[in-house]
Amino acid sequence: MTYLKWVLTVLGLGTVLATGMVASADADYDQALKTAPQGISLDNIFVPGTTSNNQASIVNTANPDITGTQAAKVNNGKKQFGALWSTTDNHFDLTKNMKSSMWMYFGNTGKKAADGMALVFQNDTRGLAATPTYGKTVSGETLGIWGVDTDKKQTTPDKLASTAIQNSWALEFDTHLNTSTNYGNTGDADSFDVGISGPHIASNYPGEVSTYEMVRTSTLLPIYSVGYYATQTHAGTITGDYTMLSNGAWHHLTIDWQASTKQMTYTFDDKDPNTGKKQTGKSASVTLDTTKIDPNNTGQVRWGFTGATGDSYENNLVIFEEIPGLVEVDANATLTDMTQNKVVDNDGIVKGGDKVRLDYQLSYEGGKQEWKDVVAQLKLPSKLSFTKGTITYADGTSTAVDLSGLDSERELTVKLAKALSSNNQTATISFTGTADEVTEPASVTGLTSTFTAVNGVETASTVDFTLNPTQEVLLASLNGTTFSADDGDVTVKGRSLCQTVPT
């Protein structure tokens, strides 16, 4: 061993001995990025907050099956504050109906997870530098947005509310319960969730005094002392057990803002993370007092995600599908039995040999940008053999779909030749063919296809249906004439003659 290598080896060992640990990759973080769902690029849409202690960043995903997707990394370590905010050009417009959808990841540590993150709408005068007013260390209980409860002598919540991000409304995703009620924990920022039974989603106004309540507690030993801790009022609460959030899975969230009623509806787990298929999820609605988040009545609010951790942490990541105001699009799938001349409902029936048509309808509903360079990653149902595909646009033009790329997994990638915009609002991808012949009923599961562009992602799912075998009806008259009804309904008049056949 050379002298230089010997010195470097000794220095390396010294580092290990001094720190007591060797740096290692976070397997859960890596796995989250490898299994990331399809999303959009966040360039020029969200940026990290400008405070010196902000640890949030934009990172690239590592799933080879998706393209152009970036994630907002809010937290991934102990004692961190993280914040990512929308750019000025992408403020949330309170005067218009707005919708946004995203995927969220909360790690895989269940009951050990901490502390969660929050979706925040704010008009704090500090803008990109908005942050709770921490002391020497970050308080995980704040989730990067709520007030800092570290003064056991404060008897009213005025000072506490002033330490939060001001002029804000937050939707929290809280993985860790803060339920301390004894004197020894006053001033530890560990009591906001008193009365809550498990991990939860809830909302309120972080900078409002009415959001908090100070509770008096005392001790007799070693001397009589009085202290106060703060509890937090939770609105629009959705609760669950410790598998609800930090369970190693991506969770889908949709928010829907109705400007006329000032109602915000949030629906959680409304898509299956494995298939992308839409599902019911859990939903709650709250009516917002916009004067509390937009006191100057500008109609605009900055929005984004915050998070904070203490002695424990989880990996907090967000992938966006739809940014409100950027592009507003919709996608639906419709299966039609052309022989029967009817749309196939979910859990409906198709008969073998029938002519069928499958339509994916894409609609542009508005936005600042065109929905362009859209790539359709299609998953076509089994038991249907398609012979022709076309894309038809609102402007009347159409192009053929090359079916030679349809692989054994029934997957096909198609790129739209034209952008969808206010001048060309729709595109329909149609496939025509025939239902396969079967000898017994076969269940066909609906599949979810994804329509991806750098500024917006939509999905559409086909229905579940049963493929029935063709039933041929033969009728024989007494004079020996035979009738056949291959399709549709037939009406027969007369008497049936039955004979018991001995066994």
Side-chain angles (χ1 to χ4, degrees), residues 93-99 256-260 328:
D93 191 341
L94 295 173
T95 68
K96 299 177 181 178
N97 293 342
M98 307 289 274
K99 183 180 179 181
D256 187 354
W257 167 250
Q258 295 297 309
S260 60
E328 297 170 18

Side-chain angles (χ1 to χ4, degrees), residues 34-243:
K34 289 178 182 177
T35 59
Q38 180 67 56
I40 66 172
S41 168
L42 299 181
D43 288 343
N44 301 315
I45 300 175
F46 288 94
V47 293
T50 56
T51 56
S52 59
N53 65 338
N54 183 29
Q55 300 296 311
S57 62
I58 304 295
V59 298
N60 293 322
T61 56
N63 186 344
D65 296 327
I66 63 175
T67 58
T69 301
Q70 292 181 311
K73 177 177 72 66
V74 182
N75 297 113
N76 72 332
K78 297 179 181 180
K79 299 186 183 300
Q80 285 187 354
F81 164 73
L84 294 111
W85 301 114
S86 61
T87 59
T88 302
D89 291 339
N90 289 290
H91 278 183
F92 196 95
D93 191 341
L94 295 173
T95 68
K96 299 177 181 178
N97 293 342
M98 307 289 274
K99 183 180 179 181
S100 182
S101 61
M102 63 213 72
W103 291 94
M104 306 176 68
Y105 189 81
F106 304 93
N108 66 350
T109 51
K111 195 170 185 178
K112 296 180 180 179
D115 280 86
M117 50 183 160
L119 172 62
V120 180
F121 296 78
Q122 56 102 346
N123 264 309
D124 193 297
T125 57
R126 294 169 291 180
L128 294 175
T131 178
T133 306
Y134 295 115
K136 294 181 179 179
T137 61
V138 172
S139 298
E141 178 185 62
T142 66
L143 299 182
I145 175 67
W146 305 108
V148 184
D149 182 26
T150 53
D151 182 359
K152 67 173 65 179
K153 298 302 181 183
Q154 55 187 352
T155 59
T156 64
D158 307 65
K159 179 182 175 183
L160 173 63
S162 70
T163 63
I165 292 181
Q166 300 298 293
N167 305 325
S168 64
W169 175 82
L171 176 63
E172 71 169 16
F173 301 81
D174 197 338
T175 61
H176 177 78
L177 287 180
N178 301 100
T179 55
S180 297
T181 58
N182 58 66
Y183 173 83
N185 291 113
T186 54
D188 287 347
D190 192 31
S191 307
F192 277 177
D193 301 317
V194 171
I196 300 292
S197 60
H200 53 276
I201 302 168
S203 67
N204 218 321
Y205 307 97
E208 290 294 312
V209 173
S210 59
T211 297
Y212 312 96
E213 181 180 354
M214 305 308 299
V215 180
R216 184 180 185 273
T217 186
S218 62
T219 184
L220 295 175
L221 298 173
I223 59 173
Y224 178 75
S225 299
V226 173
Y228 294 82
Y229 62 84
T231 62
Q232 177 189 319
T233 303
H234 296 74
T237 305
I238 299 172
T239 59
D241 60 23
Y242 281 97
T243 65

Side-chain angles (χ1 to χ4, degrees), residues 293-342:
I293 59 177
D294 184 25
N296 295 325
N297 198 31
T298 65
Q300 306 289 310
V301 290
R302 194 181 299 276
W303 66 297
F305 275 91
T306 67
T309 59
D311 292 330
S312 299
Y313 80 98
E314 70 206 34
N315 290 305
N316 285 328
L317 299 162
V318 183
I319 289 174
F320 287 86
E321 282 186 329
E322 182 180 354
I323 301 294
L326 194 63
V327 289
E328 297 170 18
V329 292
D330 193 25
N332 292 286
T334 304
L335 178 63
T336 302
D337 187 321
M338 298 171 68
T339 301
Q340 305 297 329
N341 193 29
K342 64 180 181 180

Side-chain angles (χ1 to χ4, degrees), residues 4-60:
L4 178 58
K5 289 183 178 179
W6 179 83
V7 170
L8 291 175
T9 300
V10 171
L11 289 175
L13 289 173
T15 301
V16 173
L17 292 172
T19 61
M21 63 179 290
V22 179
S24 62
D26 187 326
D28 174 63
Y29 177 77
D30 293 341
Q31 181 66 13
L33 294 180
K34 289 178 182 177
T35 59
Q38 180 67 56
I40 66 172
S41 168
L42 299 181
D43 288 343
N44 301 315
I45 300 175
F46 288 94
V47 293
T50 56
T51 56
S52 59
N53 65 338
N54 183 29
Q55 300 296 311
S57 62
I58 304 295
V59 298
N60 293 322

Side-chain angles (χ1 to χ4, degrees), residues 253-274:
L253 173 74
T254 300
I255 59 171
D256 187 354
W257 167 250
Q258 295 297 309
S260 60
T261 60
K262 301 186 187 303
Q263 188 174 71
M264 181 71 82
T265 299
Y266 39 94
T267 307
F268 187 71
D269 275 346
D270 56 342
K271 281 189 180 181
D272 186 303
N274 297 314

Side-chain angles (χ1 to χ4, degrees), residues 463-483:
V463 295
D464 298 336
F465 66 91
T466 299
L467 182 61
N468 276 346
T470 301
Q471 299 293 328
E472 186 177 70
V473 178
L474 295 177
L475 300 176
S477 68
L478 294 177
N479 63 11
T481 305
T482 299
F483 303 91

